[in-house]
Amino acid sequence: APASGPTITPLAQWQPVRKPQDFVLWSLFNAMYCNPFCLGFIALVFSVKARDRRTANDAASATSYGRTAKRLNIAALCLGILMTIIFIVVLSIFLRNLRP
């Protein structure tokens, strides 16, 4: 005889899926204003690839391209800041030596 008791129904909880980041705005900024060794432009290319892959629902490729774009953006920003500081220091030394 089957046992009669409470019926257990499995409940699946919905969890939001995070879309991979593409960093297009950051890449665009670096390509326009902070582009040492063309790193900002290359980051922009990878960002567009990440956005295309995200649109095509290929999360693995979008994540990979996005991660590469992020690393290139970090490198471009750090090198751009470093080059700006070096330029200001060299310019100030040059202008100080011009005065008699």
Side-chain angles (χ1 to χ4, degrees):
S4 62
T7 304
I8 299 174
T9 305
L11 179 65
Q13 291 191 359
W14 180 79
Q15 294 181 356
V17 177
R18 279 191 70 200
K19 290 186 177 182
Q21 291 183 326
D22 53 17
F23 304 104
V24 171
L25 291 178
W26 188 12
S27 298
L28 189 61
F29 171 80
N30 281 337
M32 296 298 290
Y33 299 110
C34 191
N35 198 14
F37 310 114
C38 295
L39 289 176
F41 179 71
I42 297 169
L44 183 61
V45 169
F46 276 95
S47 294
V48 170
K49 284 184 176 186
R51 181 163 284 187
D52 289 344
R53 293 287 87 210
R54 188 174 77 179
T55 305
N57 292 326
D58 185 3
S61 294
T63 302
S64 176
Y65 284 131
R67 190 178 309 119
T68 303
K70 179 181 178 182
R71 290 176 182 160
L72 288 169
N73 279 322
I74 291 171
L77 190 61
C78 290
L79 284 174
I81 290 171
L82 183 67
M83 289 172 64
T84 302
I85 291 171
I86 289 172
F87 176 76
I88 291 171
V89 168
V90 168
L91 184 65
S92 66
I93 291 172
F94 177 74
L95 290 177
R96 187 182 318 158
N97 288 335
L98 275 181
R99 288 186 272 163

mmCIF file with all atom_site columns, all heavy atoms in Angstrom, residues 48-72:
data_model
loop_
_atom_site.group_PDB
_atom_site.id
_atom_site.type_symbol
_atom_site.label_atom_id
_atom_site.label_alt_id
_atom_site.label_comp_id
_atom_site.label_asym_id
_atom_site.label_entity_id
_atom_site.label_seq_id
_atom_site.pdbx_PDB_ins_code
_atom_site.Cartn_x
_atom_site.Cartn_y
_atom_site.Cartn_z
_atom_site.occupancy
_atom_site.B_iso_or_equiv
_atom_site.pdbx_formal_charge
_atom_site.auth_seq_id
_atom_site.auth_comp_id
_atom_site.auth_asym_id
_atom_site.auth_atom_id
_atom_site.pdbx_PDB_model_num
ATOM 1   N N   . VAL A 1 48 ? 35.104 45.339 -28.402 1.00 0.00 ? 48 VAL A N   1
ATOM 2   C CA  . VAL A 1 48 ? 34.065 45.155 -29.419 1.00 0.00 ? 48 VAL A CA  1
ATOM 3   C C   . VAL A 1 48 ? 33.843 43.668 -29.685 1.00 0.00 ? 48 VAL A C   1
ATOM 4   O O   . VAL A 1 48 ? 32.702 43.216 -29.836 1.00 0.00 ? 48 VAL A O   1
ATOM 5   C CB  . VAL A 1 48 ? 34.432 45.923 -30.710 1.00 0.00 ? 48 VAL A CB  1
ATOM 6   C CG1 . VAL A 1 48 ? 33.507 45.566 -31.845 1.00 0.00 ? 48 VAL A CG1 1
ATOM 7   C CG2 . VAL A 1 48 ? 34.397 47.422 -30.448 1.00 0.00 ? 48 VAL A CG2 1
ATOM 8   N N   . LYS A 1 49 ? 34.927 42.888 -29.703 1.00 0.00 ? 49 LYS A N   1
ATOM 9   C CA  . LYS A 1 49 ? 34.783 41.437 -29.868 1.00 0.00 ? 49 LYS A CA  1
ATOM 10  C C   . LYS A 1 49 ? 33.995 40.839 -28.713 1.00 0.00 ? 49 LYS A C   1
ATOM 11  O O   . LYS A 1 49 ? 33.147 39.959 -28.909 1.00 0.00 ? 49 LYS A O   1
ATOM 12  C CB  . LYS A 1 49 ? 36.158 40.767 -29.946 1.00 0.00 ? 49 LYS A CB  1
ATOM 13  C CG  . LYS A 1 49 ? 36.861 40.942 -31.255 1.00 0.00 ? 49 LYS A CG  1
ATOM 14  C CD  . LYS A 1 49 ? 38.169 40.160 -31.233 1.00 0.00 ? 49 LYS A CD  1
ATOM 15  C CE  . LYS A 1 49 ? 38.862 40.223 -32.573 1.00 0.00 ? 49 LYS A CE  1
ATOM 16  N NZ  . LYS A 1 49 ? 40.046 39.347 -32.611 1.00 0.00 ? 49 LYS A NZ  1
ATOM 17  N N   . ALA A 1 50 ? 34.269 41.315 -27.493 1.00 0.00 ? 50 ALA A N   1
ATOM 18  C CA  . ALA A 1 50 ? 33.536 40.816 -26.322 1.00 0.00 ? 50 ALA A CA  1
ATOM 19  C C   . ALA A 1 50 ? 32.059 41.163 -26.422 1.00 0.00 ? 50 ALA A C   1
ATOM 20  O O   . ALA A 1 50 ? 31.188 40.334 -26.108 1.00 0.00 ? 50 ALA A O   1
ATOM 21  C CB  . ALA A 1 50 ? 34.137 41.395 -25.036 1.00 0.00 ? 50 ALA A CB  1
ATOM 22  N N   . ARG A 1 51 ? 31.759 42.371 -26.879 1.00 0.00 ? 51 ARG A N   1
ATOM 23  C CA  . ARG A 1 51 ? 30.354 42.763 -27.025 1.00 0.00 ? 51 ARG A CA  1
ATOM 24  C C   . ARG A 1 51 ? 29.663 41.932 -28.105 1.00 0.00 ? 51 ARG A C   1
ATOM 25  O O   . ARG A 1 51 ? 28.519 41.512 -27.938 1.00 0.00 ? 51 ARG A O   1
ATOM 26  C CB  . ARG A 1 51 ? 30.255 44.249 -27.346 1.00 0.00 ? 51 ARG A CB  1
ATOM 27  C CG  . ARG A 1 51 ? 28.805 44.691 -27.466 1.00 0.00 ? 51 ARG A CG  1
ATOM 28  C CD  . ARG A 1 51 ? 28.653 46.157 -27.385 1.00 0.00 ? 51 ARG A CD  1
ATOM 29  N NE  . ARG A 1 51 ? 28.805 46.579 -25.999 1.00 0.00 ? 51 ARG A NE  1
ATOM 30  C CZ  . ARG A 1 51 ? 28.584 47.812 -25.582 1.00 0.00 ? 51 ARG A CZ  1
ATOM 31  N NH1 . ARG A 1 51 ? 28.209 48.733 -26.418 1.00 0.00 ? 51 ARG A NH1 1
ATOM 32  N NH2 . ARG A 1 51 ? 28.736 48.124 -24.315 1.00 0.00 ? 51 ARG A NH2 1
ATOM 33  N N   . ASP A 1 52 ? 30.352 41.670 -29.199 1.00 0.00 ? 52 ASP A N   1
ATOM 34  C CA  . ASP A 1 52 ? 29.783 40.825 -30.259 1.00 0.00 ? 52 ASP A CA  1
ATOM 35  C C   . ASP A 1 52 ? 29.513 39.415 -29.755 1.00 0.00 ? 52 ASP A C   1
ATOM 36  O O   . ASP A 1 52 ? 28.471 38.832 -30.040 1.00 0.00 ? 52 ASP A O   1
ATOM 37  C CB  . ASP A 1 52 ? 30.720 40.764 -31.467 1.00 0.00 ? 52 ASP A CB  1
ATOM 38  C CG  . ASP A 1 52 ? 30.775 42.061 -32.243 1.00 0.00 ? 52 ASP A CG  1
ATOM 39  O OD1 . ASP A 1 52 ? 29.875 42.911 -32.035 1.00 0.00 ? 52 ASP A OD1 1
ATOM 40  O OD2 . ASP A 1 52 ? 31.713 42.229 -33.044 1.00 0.00 ? 52 ASP A OD2 1
ATOM 41  N N   . ARG A 1 53 ? 30.431 38.855 -29.025 1.00 0.00 ? 53 ARG A N   1
ATOM 42  C CA  . ARG A 1 53 ? 30.256 37.496 -28.487 1.00 0.00 ? 53 ARG A CA  1
ATOM 43  C C   . ARG A 1 53 ? 29.134 37.463 -27.455 1.00 0.00 ? 53 ARG A C   1
ATOM 44  O O   . ARG A 1 53 ? 28.393 36.493 -27.360 1.00 0.00 ? 53 ARG A O   1
ATOM 45  C CB  . ARG A 1 53 ? 31.550 36.985 -27.859 1.00 0.00 ? 53 ARG A CB  1
ATOM 46  C CG  . ARG A 1 53 ? 32.671 36.753 -28.833 1.00 0.00 ? 53 ARG A CG  1
ATOM 47  C CD  . ARG A 1 53 ? 32.462 35.521 -29.700 1.00 0.00 ? 53 ARG A CD  1
ATOM 48  N NE  . ARG A 1 53 ? 31.678 35.822 -30.891 1.00 0.00 ? 53 ARG A NE  1
ATOM 49  C CZ  . ARG A 1 53 ? 30.881 34.985 -31.513 1.00 0.00 ? 53 ARG A CZ  1
ATOM 50  N NH1 . ARG A 1 53 ? 30.717 33.770 -31.089 1.00 0.00 ? 53 ARG A NH1 1
ATOM 51  N NH2 . ARG A 1 53 ? 30.210 35.347 -32.583 1.00 0.00 ? 53 ARG A NH2 1
ATOM 52  N N   . ARG A 1 54 ? 29.014 38.539 -26.664 1.00 0.00 ? 54 ARG A N   1
ATOM 53  C CA  . ARG A 1 54 ? 27.927 38.612 -25.686 1.00 0.00 ? 54 ARG A CA  1
ATOM 54  C C   . ARG A 1 54 ? 26.574 38.680 -26.393 1.00 0.00 ? 54 ARG A C   1
ATOM 55  O O   . ARG A 1 54 ? 25.608 38.048 -25.980 1.00 0.00 ? 54 ARG A O   1
ATOM 56  C CB  . ARG A 1 54 ? 28.108 39.827 -24.783 1.00 0.00 ? 54 ARG A CB  1
ATOM 57  C CG  . ARG A 1 54 ? 27.132 39.856 -23.622 1.00 0.00 ? 54 ARG A CG  1
ATOM 58  C CD  . ARG A 1 54 ? 27.426 40.973 -22.681 1.00 0.00 ? 54 ARG A CD  1
ATOM 59  N NE  . ARG A 1 54 ? 26.944 42.219 -23.251 1.00 0.00 ? 54 ARG A NE  1
ATOM 60  C CZ  . ARG A 1 54 ? 27.038 43.377 -22.643 1.00 0.00 ? 54 ARG A CZ  1
ATOM 61  N NH1 . ARG A 1 54 ? 27.622 43.475 -21.481 1.00 0.00 ? 54 ARG A NH1 1
ATOM 62  N NH2 . ARG A 1 54 ? 26.562 44.461 -23.211 1.00 0.00 ? 54 ARG A NH2 1
ATOM 63  N N   . THR A 1 55 ? 26.518 39.423 -27.495 1.00 0.00 ? 55 THR A N   1
ATOM 64  C CA  . THR A 1 55 ? 25.289 39.514 -28.282 1.00 0.00 ? 55 THR A CA  1
ATOM 65  C C   . THR A 1 55 ? 24.932 38.165 -28.892 1.00 0.00 ? 55 THR A C   1
ATOM 66  O O   . THR A 1 55 ? 23.762 37.820 -29.014 1.00 0.00 ? 55 THR A O   1
ATOM 67  C CB  . THR A 1 55 ? 25.442 40.574 -29.385 1.00 0.00 ? 55 THR A CB  1
ATOM 68  O OG1 . THR A 1 55 ? 25.822 41.807 -28.781 1.00 0.00 ? 55 THR A OG1 1
ATOM 69  C CG2 . THR A 1 55 ? 24.160 40.767 -30.147 1.00 0.00 ? 55 THR A CG2 1
ATOM 70  N N   . ALA A 1 56 ? 25.950 37.381 -29.245 1.00 0.00 ? 56 ALA A N   1
ATOM 71  C CA  . ALA A 1 56 ? 25.731 36.065 -29.837 1.00 0.00 ? 56 ALA A CA  1
ATOM 72  C C   . ALA A 1 56 ? 25.523 34.978 -28.778 1.00 0.00 ? 56 ALA A C   1
ATOM 73  O O   . ALA A 1 56 ? 25.489 33.800 -29.111 1.00 0.00 ? 56 ALA A O   1
ATOM 74  C CB  . ALA A 1 56 ? 26.910 35.699 -30.723 1.00 0.00 ? 56 ALA A CB  1
ATOM 75  N N   . ASN A 1 57 ? 25.407 35.382 -27.519 1.00 0.00 ? 57 ASN A N   1
ATOM 76  C CA  . ASN A 1 57 ? 25.190 34.459 -26.392 1.00 0.00 ? 57 ASN A CA  1
ATOM 77  C C   . ASN A 1 57 ? 26.318 33.440 -26.229 1.00 0.00 ? 57 ASN A C   1
ATOM 78  O O   . ASN A 1 57 ? 26.081 32.293 -25.861 1.00 0.00 ? 57 ASN A O   1
ATOM 79  C CB  . ASN A 1 57 ? 23.846 33.732 -26.515 1.00 0.00 ? 57 ASN A CB  1
ATOM 80  C CG  . ASN A 1 57 ? 22.686 34.677 -26.332 1.00 0.00 ? 57 ASN A CG  1
ATOM 81  O OD1 . ASN A 1 57 ? 22.781 35.626 -25.551 1.00 0.00 ? 57 ASN A OD1 1
ATOM 82  N ND2 . ASN A 1 57 ? 21.611 34.444 -27.048 1.00 0.00 ? 57 ASN A ND2 1
ATOM 83  N N   . ASP A 1 58 ? 27.533 33.854 -26.498 1.00 0.00 ? 58 ASP A N   1
ATOM 84  C CA  . ASP A 1 58 ? 28.716 33.023 -26.268 1.00 0.00 ? 58 ASP A CA  1
ATOM 85  C C   . ASP A 1 58 ? 29.446 33.590 -25.054 1.00 0.00 ? 58 ASP A C   1
ATOM 86  O O   . ASP A 1 58 ? 30.372 34.393 -25.176 1.00 0.00 ? 58 ASP A O   1
ATOM 87  C CB  . ASP A 1 58 ? 29.606 33.032 -27.511 1.00 0.00 ? 58 ASP A CB  1
ATOM 88  C CG  . ASP A 1 58 ? 30.794 32.100 -27.392 1.00 0.00 ? 58 ASP A CG  1
ATOM 89  O OD1 . ASP A 1 58 ? 30.910 31.389 -26.374 1.00 0.00 ? 58 ASP A OD1 1
ATOM 90  O OD2 . ASP A 1 58 ? 31.614 32.079 -28.335 1.00 0.00 ? 58 ASP A OD2 1
ATOM 91  N N   . ALA A 1 59 ? 29.011 33.174 -23.875 1.00 0.00 ? 59 ALA A N   1
ATOM 92  C CA  . ALA A 1 59 ? 29.517 33.761 -22.633 1.00 0.00 ? 59 ALA A CA  1
ATOM 93  C C   . ALA A 1 59 ? 30.991 33.458 -22.403 1.00 0.00 ? 59 ALA A C   1
ATOM 94  O O   . ALA A 1 59 ? 31.725 34.303 -21.890 1.00 0.00 ? 59 ALA A O   1
ATOM 95  C CB  . ALA A 1 59 ? 28.695 33.268 -21.447 1.00 0.00 ? 59 ALA A CB  1
ATOM 96  N N   . ALA A 1 60 ? 31.453 32.289 -22.768 1.00 0.00 ? 60 ALA A N   1
ATOM 97  C CA  . ALA A 1 60 ? 32.850 31.921 -22.524 1.00 0.00 ? 60 ALA A CA  1
ATOM 98  C C   . ALA A 1 60 ? 33.799 32.806 -23.328 1.00 0.00 ? 60 ALA A C   1
ATOM 99  O O   . ALA A 1 60 ? 34.779 33.343 -22.786 1.00 0.00 ? 60 ALA A O   1
ATOM 100 C CB  . ALA A 1 60 ? 33.070 30.453 -22.874 1.00 0.00 ? 60 ALA A CB  1
ATOM 101 N N   . SER A 1 61 ? 33.519 32.976 -24.613 1.00 0.00 ? 61 SER A N   1
ATOM 102 C CA  . SER A 1 61 ? 34.368 33.832 -25.447 1.00 0.00 ? 61 SER A CA  1
ATOM 103 C C   . SER A 1 61 ? 34.249 35.297 -25.025 1.00 0.00 ? 61 SER A C   1
ATOM 104 O O   . SER A 1 61 ? 35.241 36.017 -25.021 1.00 0.00 ? 61 SER A O   1
ATOM 105 C CB  . SER A 1 61 ? 33.997 33.698 -26.922 1.00 0.00 ? 61 SER A CB  1
ATOM 106 O OG  . SER A 1 61 ? 34.280 32.404 -27.381 1.00 0.00 ? 61 SER A OG  1
ATOM 107 N N   . ALA A 1 62 ? 33.041 35.729 -24.689 1.00 0.00 ? 62 ALA A N   1
ATOM 108 C CA  . ALA A 1 62 ? 32.847 37.118 -24.259 1.00 0.00 ? 62 ALA A CA  1
ATOM 109 C C   . ALA A 1 62 ? 33.634 37.401 -22.985 1.00 0.00 ? 62 ALA A C   1
ATOM 110 O O   . ALA A 1 62 ? 34.245 38.459 -22.853 1.00 0.00 ? 62 ALA A O   1
ATOM 111 C CB  . ALA A 1 62 ? 31.369 37.396 -24.045 1.00 0.00 ? 62 ALA A CB  1
ATOM 112 N N   . THR A 1 63 ? 33.642 36.450 -22.063 1.00 0.00 ? 63 THR A N   1
ATOM 113 C CA  . THR A 1 63 ? 34.407 36.626 -20.820 1.00 0.00 ? 63 THR A CA  1
ATOM 114 C C   . THR A 1 63 ? 35.898 36.691 -21.111 1.00 0.00 ? 63 THR A C   1
ATOM 115 O O   . THR A 1 63 ? 36.612 37.528 -20.546 1.00 0.00 ? 63 THR A O   1
ATOM 116 C CB  . THR A 1 63 ? 34.105 35.464 -19.853 1.00 0.00 ? 63 THR A CB  1
ATOM 117 O OG1 . THR A 1 63 ? 32.697 35.444 -19.599 1.00 0.00 ? 63 THR A OG1 1
ATOM 118 C CG2 . THR A 1 63 ? 34.849 35.624 -18.553 1.00 0.00 ? 63 THR A CG2 1
ATOM 119 N N   . SER A 1 64 ? 36.374 35.846 -22.003 1.00 0.00 ? 64 SER A N   1
ATOM 120 C CA  . SER A 1 64 ? 37.795 35.832 -22.349 1.00 0.00 ? 64 SER A CA  1
ATOM 121 C C   . SER A 1 64 ? 38.221 37.142 -23.022 1.00 0.00 ? 64 SER A C   1
ATOM 122 O O   . SER A 1 64 ? 39.229 37.747 -22.645 1.00 0.00 ? 64 SER A O   1
ATOM 123 C CB  . SER A 1 64 ? 38.083 34.650 -23.273 1.00 0.00 ? 64 SER A CB  1
ATOM 124 O OG  . SER A 1 64 ? 39.414 34.673 -23.694 1.00 0.00 ? 64 SER A OG  1
ATOM 125 N N   . TYR A 1 65 ? 37.448 37.581 -24.002 1.00 0.00 ? 65 TYR A N   1
ATOM 126 C CA  . TYR A 1 65 ? 37.762 38.847 -24.668 1.00 0.00 ? 65 TYR A CA  1
ATOM 127 C C   . TYR A 1 65 ? 37.651 40.026 -23.698 1.00 0.00 ? 65 TYR A C   1
ATOM 128 O O   . TYR A 1 65 ? 38.467 40.949 -23.736 1.00 0.00 ? 65 TYR A O   1
ATOM 129 C CB  . TYR A 1 65 ? 36.847 39.077 -25.867 1.00 0.00 ? 65 TYR A CB  1
ATOM 130 C CG  . TYR A 1 65 ? 37.183 38.258 -27.078 1.00 0.00 ? 65 TYR A CG  1
ATOM 131 C CD1 . TYR A 1 65 ? 36.197 37.543 -27.751 1.00 0.00 ? 65 TYR A CD1 1
ATOM 132 C CD2 . TYR A 1 65 ? 38.474 38.198 -27.582 1.00 0.00 ? 65 TYR A CD2 1
ATOM 133 C CE1 . TYR A 1 65 ? 36.498 36.787 -28.871 1.00 0.00 ? 65 TYR A CE1 1
ATOM 134 C CE2 . TYR A 1 65 ? 38.777 37.443 -28.701 1.00 0.00 ? 65 TYR A CE2 1
ATOM 135 C CZ  . TYR A 1 65 ? 37.787 36.737 -29.336 1.00 0.00 ? 65 TYR A CZ  1
ATOM 136 O OH  . TYR A 1 65 ? 38.092 36.009 -30.451 1.00 0.00 ? 65 TYR A OH  1
ATOM 137 N N   . GLY A 1 66 ? 36.663 40.003 -22.829 1.00 0.00 ? 66 GLY A N   1
ATOM 138 C CA  . GLY A 1 66 ? 36.503 41.069 -21.852 1.00 0.00 ? 66 GLY A CA  1
ATOM 139 C C   . GLY A 1 66 ? 37.657 41.128 -20.869 1.00 0.00 ? 66 GLY A C   1
ATOM 140 O O   . GLY A 1 66 ? 38.121 42.208 -20.507 1.00 0.00 ? 66 GLY A O   1
ATOM 141 N N   . ARG A 1 67 ? 38.124 39.967 -20.441 1.00 0.00 ? 67 ARG A N   1
ATOM 142 C CA  . ARG A 1 67 ? 39.260 39.917 -19.507 1.00 0.00 ? 67 ARG A CA  1
ATOM 143 C C   . ARG A 1 67 ? 40.517 40.473 -20.178 1.00 0.00 ? 67 ARG A C   1
ATOM 144 O O   . ARG A 1 67 ? 41.275 41.235 -19.573 1.00 0.00 ? 67 ARG A O   1
ATOM 145 C CB  . ARG A 1 67 ? 39.494 38.477 -19.058 1.00 0.00 ? 67 ARG A CB  1
ATOM 146 C CG  . ARG A 1 67 ? 40.478 38.342 -17.936 1.00 0.00 ? 67 ARG A CG  1
ATOM 147 C CD  . ARG A 1 67 ? 40.667 36.912 -17.462 1.00 0.00 ? 67 ARG A CD  1
ATOM 148 N NE  . ARG A 1 67 ? 39.402 36.241 -17.163 1.00 0.00 ? 67 ARG A NE  1
ATOM 149 C CZ  . ARG A 1 67 ? 38.968 35.146 -17.786 1.00 0.00 ? 67 ARG A CZ  1
ATOM 150 N NH1 . ARG A 1 67 ? 39.686 34.596 -18.740 1.00 0.00 ? 67 ARG A NH1 1
ATOM 151 N NH2 . ARG A 1 67 ? 37.826 34.593 -17.462 1.00 0.00 ? 67 ARG A NH2 1
ATOM 152 N N   . THR A 1 68 ? 40.720 40.132 -21.452 1.00 0.00 ? 68 THR A N   1
ATOM 153 C CA  . THR A 1 68 ? 41.874 40.659 -22.189 1.00 0.00 ? 68 THR A CA  1
ATOM 154 C C   . THR A 1 68 ? 41.758 42.169 -22.352 1.00 0.00 ? 68 THR A C   1
ATOM 155 O O   . THR A 1 68 ? 42.746 42.892 -22.181 1.00 0.00 ? 68 THR A O   1
ATOM 156 C CB  . THR A 1 68 ? 41.980 39.984 -23.568 1.00 0.00 ? 68 THR A CB  1
ATOM 157 O OG1 . THR A 1 68 ? 42.069 38.567 -23.383 1.00 0.00 ? 68 THR A OG1 1
ATOM 158 C CG2 . THR A 1 68 ? 43.199 40.463 -24.321 1.00 0.00 ? 68 THR A CG2 1
ATOM 159 N N   . ALA A 1 69 ? 40.571 42.659 -22.666 1.00 0.00 ? 69 ALA A N   1
ATOM 160 C CA  . ALA A 1 69 ? 40.364 44.106 -22.799 1.00 0.00 ? 69 ALA A CA  1
ATOM 161 C C   . ALA A 1 69 ? 40.633 44.813 -21.481 1.00 0.00 ? 69 ALA A C   1
ATOM 162 O O   . ALA A 1 69 ? 41.247 45.887 -21.468 1.00 0.00 ? 69 ALA A O   1
ATOM 163 C CB  . ALA A 1 69 ? 38.948 44.387 -23.273 1.00 0.00 ? 69 ALA A CB  1
ATOM 164 N N   . LYS A 1 70 ? 40.208 44.223 -20.374 1.00 0.00 ? 70 LYS A N   1
ATOM 165 C CA  . LYS A 1 70 ? 40.443 44.824 -19.069 1.00 0.00 ? 70 LYS A CA  1
ATOM 166 C C   . LYS A 1 70 ? 41.935 44.937 -18.777 1.00 0.00 ? 70 LYS A C   1
ATOM 167 O O   . LYS A 1 70 ? 42.418 45.979 -18.329 1.00 0.00 ? 70 LYS A O   1
ATOM 168 C CB  . LYS A 1 70 ? 39.754 43.996 -17.987 1.00 0.00 ? 70 LYS A CB  1
ATOM 169 C CG  . LYS A 1 70 ? 39.943 44.523 -16.591 1.00 0.00 ? 70 LYS A CG  1
ATOM 170 C CD  . LYS A 1 70 ? 39.245 43.633 -15.591 1.00 0.00 ? 70 LYS A CD  1
ATOM 171 C CE  . LYS A 1 70 ? 39.462 44.102 -14.173 1.00 0.00 ? 70 LYS A CE  1
ATOM 172 N NZ  . LYS A 1 70 ? 38.827 43.201 -13.197 1.00 0.00 ? 70 LYS A NZ  1
ATOM 173 N N   . ARG A 1 71 ? 42.674 43.874 -19.044 1.00 0.00 ? 71 ARG A N   1
ATOM 174 C CA  . ARG A 1 71 ? 44.122 43.893 -18.789 1.00 0.00 ? 71 ARG A CA  1
ATOM 175 C C   . ARG A 1 71 ? 44.828 44.913 -19.683 1.00 0.00 ? 71 ARG A C   1
ATOM 176 O O   . ARG A 1 71 ? 45.734 45.624 -19.230 1.00 0.00 ? 71 ARG A O   1
ATOM 177 C CB  . ARG A 1 71 ? 44.695 42.506 -18.997 1.00 0.00 ? 71 ARG A CB  1
ATOM 178 C CG  . ARG A 1 71 ? 44.265 41.535 -17.930 1.00 0.00 ? 71 ARG A CG  1
ATOM 179 C CD  . ARG A 1 71 ? 44.754 40.136 -18.195 1.00 0.00 ? 71 ARG A CD  1
ATOM 180 N NE  . ARG A 1 71 ? 44.270 39.235 -17.152 1.00 0.00 ? 71 ARG A NE  1
ATOM 181 C CZ  . ARG A 1 71 ? 44.200 37.936 -17.286 1.00 0.00 ? 71 ARG A CZ  1
ATOM 182 N NH1 . ARG A 1 71 ? 44.586 37.355 -18.411 1.00 0.00 ? 71 ARG A NH1 1
ATOM 183 N NH2 . ARG A 1 71 ? 43.755 37.184 -16.295 1.00 0.00 ? 71 ARG A NH2 1
ATOM 184 N N   . LEU A 1 72 ? 44.431 44.992 -20.942 1.00 0.00 ? 72 LEU A N   1
ATOM 185 C CA  . LEU A 1 72 ? 45.026 45.980 -21.836 1.00 0.00 ? 72 LEU A CA  1
ATOM 186 C C   . LEU A 1 72 ? 44.689 47.398 -21.407 1.00 0.00 ? 72 LEU A C   1
ATOM 187 O O   . LEU A 1 72 ? 45.524 48.303 -21.494 1.00 0.00 ? 72 LEU A O   1
ATOM 188 C CB  . LEU A 1 72 ? 44.564 45.736 -23.273 1.00 0.00 ? 72 LEU A CB  1
ATOM 189 C CG  . LEU A 1 72 ? 45.162 44.510 -23.964 1.00 0.00 ? 72 LEU A CG  1
ATOM 190 C CD1 . LEU A 1 72 ? 44.435 44.224 -25.270 1.00 0.00 ? 72 LEU A CD1 1
ATOM 191 C CD2 . LEU A 1 72 ? 46.644 44.724 -24.225 1.00 0.00 ? 72 LEU A CD2 1
#
